[in-house]
Amino acid sequence: MGRPPPLAALYWRILLLLLGAWAGCAKAQGSKILEGQECEAHSQPWQAALFQGQRLLCGAVLVGANWILTAAHCKKTKYTVRLGDHSLQSKDGPEQEITVAQSIQHPCYNSSDVDDHNHDLMLIRLRGRASLGPKVKPINLADKCAHVGQKCTISGWGTVTSPRENFPDTLNCAEVQIFSQNKCEAAYPGQVSDGMICAGNSNGADTCQGDSGGPLVCDGLLQGITSWGSDPCGRPDRPGVYTNVCRYLDWIKKTMGKRG
């Protein structure tokens, strides 16, 4: 038998083993929106963010020069809307921050029950009109519902790991597919309604904490608003759940039309 290693050598050997184990866990969790990657800068020019001071609250979507669509559960007493961001820390020109004139939750949304995700939709009217251009422009709403298997893009500044939270500086994107309603209901028995749509993929691509209110975009049209999902996020058998925009077109158009 050889001599036992000195204490210093033993310490470093144990430390390296621990670091190796931690790295294995981190790698297994993956780089995510979840399982996504940094978006090409300003490739999602309708992407907006809701902020309270310097704190990110939710994602959101520009749907008109002075209108934002987001999740009803994102409502706070006071917040601002940021447009044209890619990196939240550095400025490269198109960033705009506009105050909120009015927050209009869907009239059927139940704000008193955090487990009730039905009608999770909110329109925000801005105090001023956004300065539009190639890096800040509204997205068109889908006038037909998405079909099963349709490929879509999700985006946001939400945590890229779950359950441990790690918020990125730059906007992240991932590709997902639309699930059938039966598969969606099987994943979340008794929790899914016609006003919801599920999307995910076999790698566990998913939206997570901080992505709420952001877009589900299919063929260049807005099909969904990030609403809820599994905890922890990123389970292939439990896809992300989105408010199904095509079911709310009348309410969205009437509300925007009435208030200009």
Side-chain angles (χ1 to χ4, degrees):
M1 293 179 63
R3 293 168 57 190
L7 284 177
L10 186 61
Y11 168 81
W12 283 110
R13 192 175 299 173
I14 291 170
L15 182 61
L16 286 170
L17 285 171
L18 288 171
L19 286 172
W22 179 85
C25 291
K27 187 176 180 182
Q29 285 188 344
S31 172
K32 309 174 181 178
I33 170 179
L34 306 175
E35 293 300 339
Q37 57 187 1
E38 182 179 345
C39 307
E40 180 184 343
H42 309 295
S43 61
Q44 315 298 311
W46 42 79
Q47 177 79 48
L50 305 183
F51 273 83
Q52 240 180 3
Q54 296 302 308
R55 186 168 73 91
L56 174 71
L57 295 175
C58 281
V61 191
L62 184 67
V63 293
N66 65 326
W67 285 101
I68 300 290
L69 197 60
T70 187
H73 76 261
C74 292
K75 185 177 181 180
K76 299 291 181 187
T77 53
K78 188 177 181 180
Y79 47 88
T80 57
V81 174
R82 285 197 200 174
L83 302 166
D85 260 321
H86 178 64
S87 163
L88 297 179
Q89 299 299 321
S90 59
K91 306 298 180 187
D92 61 2
E95 297 88 355
Q96 303 171 44
E97 187 162 1
I98 306 177
T99 55
V100 172
Q102 191 175 16
S103 301
I104 310 162
Q105 290 175 316
H106 190 277
C108 297
Y109 176 70
N110 183 4
S111 58
S112 62
D113 185 353
V114 294
D115 295 320
D116 185 353
H117 307 291
N118 284 292
H119 316 294
D120 190 12
L121 200 63
M122 179 170 68
L123 275 164
I124 294 174
R125 184 168 60 86
L126 302 176
R127 287 200 181 277
R129 295 171 67 86
S131 178
L132 303 181
K135 297 180 179 180
V136 176
K137 64 181 179 181
I139 190 171
N140 291 324
L141 307 178
D143 57 1
K144 294 181 180 177
C145 295
H147 59 80
V148 177
Q150 189 170 0
K151 293 182 179 178
C152 308
T153 300
I154 51 177
S155 53
W157 289 276
T159 179
V160 294
T161 56
S162 180
R164 181 172 54 90
E165 292 185 347
N166 177 22
F167 292 90
D169 172 50
T170 55
L171 187 67
N172 272 236
C173 290
E175 299 302 312
V176 293
Q177 291 184 336
I178 300 297
F179 279 39
S180 71
Q181 204 69 357
N182 286 342
K183 194 171 180 180
C184 187
E185 290 170 4
Y188 303 103
Q191 296 178 272
V192 176
S193 69
D194 288 342
M196 304 174 191
I197 189 171
C198 280
N201 70 16
S202 58
N203 293 328
D206 196 5
T207 42
C208 203
Q209 280 75 25
D211 290 319
S212 289
L216 172 73
V217 177
C218 311
D219 296 323
L221 299 172
L222 184 66
Q223 287 282 6
I225 293 293
T226 303
S227 179
W228 61 284
S230 66
D231 186 14
C233 316
R235 291 178 52 181
D237 59 329
R238 292 176 68 100
V241 187
Y242 303 80
T243 303
N244 199 359
V245 167
C246 70
R247 303 288 187 189
Y248 295 94
L249 286 177
D250 286 348
W251 176 76
I252 293 169
K253 291 177 178 178
K254 285 178 183 175
T255 303
M256 290 171 64
K258 284 178 183 176
R259 291 166 174 82

